[in-house]
Amino acid sequence: MNNLEKNLTREEINDIQTEKLKKIVKYVYENVPFYKHKFNEIGILPEDIKVLEDIKLLPFTTKQDLRDHYPYGMFAAPMNKIVRLHASSGTTGIQTIVGYTKKDIDSWANLIATTLQRYGVTSNDIVQVAYGYGIFTGGLGIHYGIERLGASVVPMSGGNTEKQVLTLKNFGTTVLACTPSYALHIYDTMVKMGISPEELKLRMGIFGAEPWSDEIRANIEKKFKFKVYDIYGLSEVMGPGVAGECSLQNGLHINEEDFLPEIINPITLESNMHGETGELVFTNLEKEGIPLIRYRTRDISALSYEKCECGCPYVRMKRIYCRDDDMMIIRGVNIYPIQIEEVLLSFKDLSPHYILTITRKDNLDQLTITVEMNNYTEFYSKEYLLGLQKGINYKFHNILQVYCNIDLVNPDTILKTDGKAKRIFDKRI
Ligand code: DLL
């Protein structure tokens, strides 16, 4: 298995990364015309990369670059070496396609297995994968890591929620892997079916693929009565397994022998912002199929090089607060869905299911927050509901300086998905 036991020092990790960086830069220069052209344009040759800091000499890669070279223009390996294709789950614009060689698939399984070990998953566990199988990297990506670890995988994929619940119960599933929003839907379905968490053997959740607040995590942990760990990744860079928490739940360890992280200021593009919050950027150090140099994720996080008590030497990234393209600008104020989630979950009557609709009336932006209540609205008096709406709005105004329309709706009103939740509906355009 990869690295948990190795206890590398920071210097050793830097040395490994430097050697790998030199190799990968040469590899993309020789095999990807896009990079050769970009490097030539700025007058950089692979031999100019001598130390890790030299990464700053290299150009960034963006999602648009992948789109401009759709479908296979950014691949470094020939198609006869590509054994699997996946795509980003992006809901806007052209999908981006990524390809994996046999070696890539093998390293991916190792990465997931190591990440699962950090959570404390063992070969005795039964892991139900309710991430979608298919072109999305979640299902298949995690699947092979579970097998590599020697645990039992239950390849459910997303959907068919009642069957998910019965499988949790009948198979004695000990670990559930899916998006946090789907986990909540599974829980609601379980309650409707009259099954309580005590009847299950579940001891852990491995959730990710979408931004989720600490409040949602606490809510899920309380409901299921198990520990929930965060897993991060993106298809362009690999898929799940780029980073994952350890048992301390205090940041996600980035698998640094495969991915070289940076935090940049998304406006000035200045790098080296240790400890500061900014945009995560990754360089692939091992990939053969489609290695990317300084890929701008648009995910907002921060890096901590402080030693983690769990003993894993890899740098930690803060849980993703948001994607910068999820930011809503309402009457000039920048608002992230997670800020709204945090406020909503501080009210005991509200569930974690909500959507945000932005409209424009008389040239003024209006934000409507539609949130499901934990009980049917008929259950409450009109005065109570009005007071609740006022209370929510007051809290929002304190934090965000804008007033919103609060629409309190019955349970089961908002459409749930079995993958990533779609929460923002911008009707201004
Ligand atoms: O979502 C890969 C994945 C699958 C990760 C299963 C974890 C579990 P994409 O579909 O390409 O890949 O979407 C990547 O999802 O840039 C983030 O914005 C978001 N994301 C992924 N993991 C997390 C997480 C997969 N743990 C995009 N927390 C990324 C917050 C996440 N956001």
Side-chain angles (χ1 to χ4, degrees):
M1 208 61 54
N2 220 354
N3 244 307
L4 272 183
E5 309 78 20
K6 277 200 205 158
N7 245 335
L8 295 163
T9 62
R10 179 54 35 204
E11 289 68 34
E12 286 166 333
I13 295 175
N14 279 359
D15 290 347
I16 294 170
Q17 289 184 323
T18 309
E19 284 319 302
K20 290 190 177 186
L21 179 66
K22 286 185 199 166
K23 257 199 199 157
I24 205 89
V25 167
K26 185 163 183 291
Y27 177 66
V28 297
Y29 187 79
E30 289 169 357
N31 293 287
V32 186
F34 163 82
Y35 281 122
K36 185 170 207 156
H37 180 73
K38 274 230 160 180
F39 288 11
N40 286 344
E41 230 176 30
I42 52 175
I44 281 283
L45 287 171
E47 41 282 24
D48 294 329
I49 304 302
K50 296 191 174 75
V51 292
L52 214 48
E53 281 283 291
D54 289 339
I55 187 140
K56 290 185 201 151
L57 303 172
L58 297 170
F60 290 103
T61 310
T62 63
K63 198 167 186 103
Q64 191 55 44
D65 294 325
L66 292 167
R67 287 186 175 140
D68 291 345
H69 297 84
Y70 183 85
Y72 305 132
M74 299 281 283
F75 282 23
M79 280 318 273
N80 64 1
K81 292 275 182 273
I82 299 289
V83 297
R84 173 112 59 90
L85 295 167
H86 278 290
S88 71
S89 52
T91 43
T92 52
I94 310 176
Q95 279 191 319
T96 48
I97 301 186
V98 285
Y100 304 76
T101 63
K102 255 193 186 140
K103 178 180 159 259
D104 294 337
I105 294 287
D106 192 55
S107 339
W108 195 7
N110 282 337
L111 284 171
I112 295 284
T114 317
T115 307
L116 295 176
Q117 277 185 319
R118 264 185 230 126
Y119 303 131
V121 179
T122 72
S123 55
N124 293 323
D125 277 302
I126 300 174
V127 188
Q128 185 161 327
V129 180
Y131 285 112
Y133 278 62
I135 206 83
F136 173 53
T137 52
L140 284 168
I142 290 183
H143 179 105
Y144 288 104
I146 298 167
E147 288 190 350
R148 180 66 50 93
L149 181 65
S152 315
V153 60
V154 187
M156 284 299 286
S157 193
N160 215 340
T161 310
E162 289 197 358
K163 198 159 176 200
Q164 296 277 0
V165 174
L166 289 176
T167 308
L168 287 175
K169 188 171 174 209
N170 298 339
F171 283 46
T173 302
T174 56
V175 179
L176 173 64
C178 60
T179 59
S181 51
Y182 191 46
L184 283 166
H185 185 45
I186 292 179
Y187 179 83
D188 290 349
T189 308
M190 208 168 95
V191 171
K192 269 191 219 143
M193 291 166 73
I195 295 174
S196 75
E198 285 78 14
E199 292 173 64
L200 307 178
K201 295 220 169 84
L202 273 179
R203 66 180 192 93
M204 189 191 298
I206 298 177
F207 302 151
E210 63 186 7
W212 49 311
S213 61
D214 289 339
E215 283 73 8
I216 285 270
R217 168 158 40 195
N219 186 285
I220 298 176
E221 287 192 332
K222 194 165 151 211
K223 282 179 162 151
F224 276 103
K225 302 187 175 63
F226 63 19
K227 273 262 198 188
V228 172
Y229 296 105
D230 198 350
I231 185 162
Y232 170 81
L234 60 166
S235 57
E236 291 85 350
V237 171
M238 179 62 99
V242 173
E245 284 180 319
C246 58
S247 58
L248 301 176
Q249 292 180 314
N250 187 17
L252 290 81
H253 289 281
I254 295 174
N255 288 308
E256 279 190 275
E257 286 179 67
D258 287 66
F259 313 103
L260 174 59
E262 293 173 83
I263 289 283
I264 63 162
N265 176 326
I267 316 276
T268 62
L269 303 186
E270 181 205 341
S271 180
N272 211 3
M273 300 167 53
H274 283 185
E276 285 179 55
T277 299
E279 181 181 345
L280 258 177
V281 168
F282 286 107
T283 296
N284 284 111
L285 295 175
E286 278 285 352
K287 228 162 147 212
E288 289 180 338
I290 172 169
L292 297 180
I293 304 293
R294 305 191 86 192
Y295 183 70
R296 292 188 56 182
T297 63
R298 308 197 68 175
D299 292 325
I300 306 298
S301 180
L303 298 178
S304 163
Y305 286 87
E306 233 171 74
K307 210 161 171 48
C308 180
E309 279 174 33
C310 79
C312 175
Y314 293 154
V315 63
R316 276 169 296 163
M317 57 179 256
K318 237 176 142 172
R319 296 183 67 216
I320 302 285
Y321 191 64
C322 56
R323 285 184 59 79
D324 76 348
D325 41 7
D326 272 352
M327 186 180 79
M328 301 171 286
I329 305 181
I330 310 290
R331 301 187 188 185
V333 180
N334 299 349
I335 303 178
Y336 292 103
I338 268 189
Q339 290 175 292
I340 291 179
E341 193 169 295
E342 285 166 357
V343 171
L344 293 178
L345 283 176
S346 65
F347 290 88
K348 68 173 181 8
D349 293 309
L350 304 184
S351 83
H353 304 296
Y354 66 95
I355 54 168
L356 310 171
T357 312
I358 314 163
T359 49
R360 185 168 283 153
K361 199 174 165 208
D362 301 328
N363 284 323
L364 276 182
D365 296 332
Q366 305 270 349
L367 173 64
T368 301
I369 301 169
T370 308
V371 56
E372 281 184 7
M373 302 206 48
N374 284 327
N375 281 306
Y376 283 84
T377 46
E378 297 86 80
F379 188 80
Y380 305 91
S381 71
K382 266 200 178 118
E383 294 71 34
Y384 185 83
L385 291 176
L386 270 175
L388 185 59
Q389 275 172 322
K390 266 195 188 156
I392 300 169
N393 230 333
Y394 178 76
K395 236 180 175 169
F396 273 123
H397 191 260
N398 267 347
I399 296 169
L400 309 171
Q401 277 81 52
V402 288
Y403 285 110
C404 319
N405 303 316
I406 311 290
D407 195 7
L408 302 173
V409 297
N410 279 330
D412 279 338
T413 308
I414 295 170
L415 190 69
K416 315 290 183 316
T417 70
D418 55 21
K420 301 180 190 239
K422 177 162 169 52
R423 294 212 167 93
I424 305 177
F425 298 86
D426 192 342
K427 299 191 169 158
R428 286 175 295 190
I429 318 129

XYZ file of all heavy atoms in Angstrom, residues 56 60 62 261-281 294-303 324 336:
293
model
N 6.050 27.685 -10.597
C 5.437 28.999 -10.856
C 5.770 29.523 -12.250
O 5.145 30.461 -12.738
C 5.921 30.004 -9.816
C 5.358 29.739 -8.457
C 5.780 30.838 -7.517
C 5.685 30.366 -6.107
N 6.635 31.014 -5.235
N -0.948 27.931 -16.415
C -2.105 27.245 -15.828
C -2.857 26.492 -16.919
O -2.735 26.804 -18.108
C -3.057 28.259 -15.195
C -2.488 28.897 -13.961
C -1.978 30.184 -13.993
C -2.479 28.199 -12.759
C -1.450 30.767 -12.853
C -1.953 28.779 -11.608
C -1.438 30.064 -11.664
N -6.931 25.346 -17.754
C -8.301 25.606 -17.294
C -9.270 24.619 -17.951
O -8.911 23.929 -18.917
C -8.762 27.031 -17.683
O -8.766 27.096 -19.119
C -7.845 28.097 -17.124
N -0.250 20.209 -4.994
C -1.249 21.269 -4.819
C -0.630 22.663 -4.700
O 0.505 22.805 -4.243
C -1.900 20.898 -3.485
C -0.799 20.239 -2.710
C 0.155 19.615 -3.694
N -1.380 23.648 -5.092
C -1.024 25.054 -4.835
C -2.321 25.770 -4.491
O -3.408 25.311 -4.863
C -0.493 25.736 -6.095
C 0.819 25.256 -6.619
C 1.095 25.924 -7.971
O 1.589 27.075 -8.001
O 0.801 25.294 -9.006
N -2.182 26.890 -3.802
C -3.338 27.776 -3.606
C -2.970 29.075 -4.295
O -1.885 29.616 -4.076
C -3.580 28.044 -2.100
C -4.127 26.800 -1.394
C -4.514 29.229 -1.887
C -5.600 26.510 -1.630
N -3.867 29.549 -5.154
C -3.571 30.816 -5.834
C -4.668 31.847 -5.532
O -5.785 31.480 -5.158
C -3.441 30.649 -7.371
C -4.769 30.173 -7.996
C -2.299 29.702 -7.736
C -4.851 30.409 -9.481
N -4.294 33.079 -5.717
C -5.294 34.139 -5.686
C -5.952 34.126 -7.068
O -5.274 34.333 -8.075
C -4.583 35.474 -5.416
C -5.538 36.638 -5.460
O -6.488 36.648 -6.232
N -5.279 37.624 -4.626
N -7.271 33.854 -7.142
C -7.892 33.689 -8.463
C -7.898 34.966 -9.305
O -8.102 34.903 -10.525
C -9.315 33.247 -8.141
C -9.524 33.505 -6.705
C -8.192 33.633 -6.032
N -7.666 36.100 -8.678
C -7.661 37.353 -9.448
C -6.249 37.655 -9.956
O -6.032 37.837 -11.149
C -8.155 38.556 -8.583
C -9.382 38.176 -7.764
C -8.334 39.816 -9.439
C -10.704 38.258 -8.424
N -5.280 37.660 -9.020
C -3.909 38.031 -9.429
C -3.129 36.823 -9.931
O -2.059 36.971 -10.508
C -3.131 38.609 -8.227
O -3.041 37.581 -7.228
C -3.829 39.825 -7.637
N -3.636 35.624 -9.672
C -2.982 34.351 -10.018
C -1.677 34.140 -9.257
O -0.888 33.260 -9.584
C -2.738 34.234 -11.542
C -3.964 34.358 -12.428
C -3.601 34.080 -13.884
C -5.074 33.417 -11.984
N -1.477 34.936 -8.220
C -0.283 34.793 -7.397
C -0.371 33.463 -6.625
O -1.420 33.095 -6.118
C -0.238 35.966 -6.419
C 0.948 35.972 -5.509
C 0.620 36.740 -4.225
O -0.350 37.532 -4.236
O 1.315 36.525 -3.239
N 0.775 32.746 -6.597
C 0.792 31.442 -5.928
C 1.443 31.564 -4.555
O 1.715 32.664 -4.094
C 1.562 30.468 -6.809
O 1.614 29.208 -6.233
N 1.700 30.417 -3.937
C 2.440 30.398 -2.675
C 1.711 31.106 -1.543
O 2.296 31.904 -0.814
C 3.821 31.054 -2.870
C 4.826 30.417 -1.935
O 4.483 29.477 -1.222
N 6.041 30.926 -1.924
N 0.440 30.819 -1.420
C -0.316 31.472 -0.360
C -0.509 30.482 0.780
O -1.628 30.127 1.126
C -1.664 31.919 -0.902
C -1.525 32.886 -2.038
S -3.090 33.087 -2.863
C -4.183 33.505 -1.543
N 0.588 30.035 1.375
C 0.474 29.026 2.430
C -0.423 29.529 3.552
O -0.240 30.625 4.056
C 1.856 28.691 3.001
C 2.622 27.789 2.092
N 3.834 27.259 2.398
C 2.313 27.315 0.880
C 4.249 26.512 1.396
N 3.343 26.532 0.471
N -1.393 28.717 3.904
C -2.267 29.081 5.010
C -3.421 29.977 4.594
O -4.417 30.047 5.277
N -3.287 30.656 3.464
C -4.372 31.571 3.070
C -5.437 30.846 2.259
O -5.178 29.802 1.667
C -3.803 32.710 2.228
C -3.049 33.721 3.055
C -2.472 34.814 2.170
O -3.254 35.427 1.432
O -1.254 35.010 2.221
N -6.601 31.470 2.213
C -7.694 30.879 1.442
C -7.603 31.343 0.002
O -7.363 32.513 -0.264
C -9.039 31.324 2.062
O -9.070 30.835 3.399
C -10.217 30.771 1.297
N -7.772 30.442 -0.913
C -7.731 30.804 -2.327
C -8.176 29.633 -3.180
O -8.810 28.685 -2.675
N -7.843 29.690 -4.473
C -8.283 28.636 -5.394
C -7.262 27.495 -5.414
O -6.060 27.723 -5.522
C -8.423 29.228 -6.803
C -8.892 28.209 -7.818
C -8.998 28.790 -9.231
O -8.995 30.029 -9.398
O -9.067 27.973 -10.176
N -7.776 26.290 -5.328
C -6.907 25.112 -5.379
C -6.467 24.849 -6.814
O -7.283 24.912 -7.746
C -7.701 23.896 -4.934
C -7.524 23.336 -3.542
C -8.482 22.172 -3.360
C -6.098 22.895 -3.272
N -5.183 24.541 -6.950
C -4.623 24.232 -8.268
C -3.851 22.922 -8.110
O -3.142 22.745 -7.118
C -3.671 25.375 -8.695
C -2.833 24.990 -9.900
C -4.472 26.649 -8.987
N -0.843 22.474 -13.448
C -1.451 23.621 -12.765
C -2.928 23.789 -13.149
O -3.339 24.862 -13.627
C -0.664 24.907 -13.028
C 0.802 24.809 -12.681
C 1.487 26.152 -12.710
N 1.365 26.874 -11.454
C 1.665 28.157 -11.286
N 2.084 28.868 -12.312
N 1.547 28.738 -10.113
N -3.693 22.736 -12.918
C -5.112 22.797 -13.281
C -5.894 23.614 -12.260
O -5.869 23.343 -11.057
C -5.711 21.387 -13.394
C -7.149 21.446 -13.827
C -7.479 21.830 -15.130
C -8.177 21.195 -12.929
C -8.796 21.937 -15.528
C -9.510 21.296 -13.325
C -9.810 21.670 -14.626
O -11.123 21.794 -15.019
N -6.588 24.639 -12.733
C -7.361 25.517 -11.852
C -8.717 24.879 -11.559
O -9.562 24.762 -12.438
C -7.541 26.887 -12.511
C -6.239 27.659 -12.616
C -6.481 29.065 -13.086
N -7.417 29.766 -12.215
C -7.835 30.996 -12.417
N -7.397 31.677 -13.457
N -8.680 31.565 -11.579
N -8.906 24.479 -10.293
C -10.121 23.716 -9.947
C -11.347 24.603 -9.754
O -12.466 24.120 -9.822
C -9.920 22.952 -8.625
O -9.724 23.918 -7.582
C -8.726 22.014 -8.699
N -11.125 25.869 -9.403
C -12.174 26.821 -9.007
C -12.749 26.501 -7.625
O -13.707 27.126 -7.180
C -13.283 26.919 -10.065
C -12.701 27.195 -11.430
C -13.702 27.693 -12.395
N -14.166 29.021 -12.017
C -14.987 29.742 -12.753
N -15.431 29.266 -13.886
N -15.384 30.927 -12.371
N -12.177 25.503 -6.962
C -12.603 25.177 -5.593
C -11.822 26.032 -4.610
O -10.614 26.195 -4.751
C -12.344 23.692 -5.294
C -13.240 22.781 -6.113
O -14.398 23.172 -6.360
O -12.793 21.690 -6.501
N -12.519 26.545 -3.621
C -11.890 27.448 -2.654
C -11.520 26.667 -1.389
O -12.356 26.008 -0.783
C -12.847 28.617 -2.299
C -13.314 29.336 -3.578
C -12.207 29.589 -1.320
C -12.233 29.989 -4.402
N -10.246 26.768 -1.019
C -9.757 26.027 0.144
C -8.491 26.710 0.675
O -8.168 27.833 0.264
C -9.470 24.578 -0.280
O -9.000 23.816 0.791
N -7.796 26.056 1.592
C -6.506 26.553 2.104
C -5.670 25.330 2.441
O -6.223 24.250 2.679
C -6.732 27.413 3.345
N -4.345 25.484 2.447
C -3.471 24.345 2.733
C -2.816 24.512 4.092
O -2.417 25.625 4.456
C -2.367 24.230 1.667
C -2.826 23.971 0.233
C -1.629 23.937 -0.712
C -3.588 22.647 0.141
N -15.894 28.727 -6.747
C -16.070 30.163 -6.961
C -17.201 30.436 -7.947
O -17.813 31.485 -7.930
C -14.750 30.876 -7.309
C -14.304 30.635 -8.728
O -14.882 29.739 -9.370
O -13.395 31.335 -9.179
N -22.478 32.675 -0.742
C -22.249 31.274 -1.105
C -23.352 30.412 -0.496
O -23.788 30.666 0.628
C -20.891 30.808 -0.557
C -19.727 31.479 -1.244
C -19.026 32.512 -0.627
C -19.336 31.069 -2.513
C -17.966 33.120 -1.265
C -18.274 31.673 -3.149
C -17.586 32.701 -2.526
O -16.544 33.296 -3.158
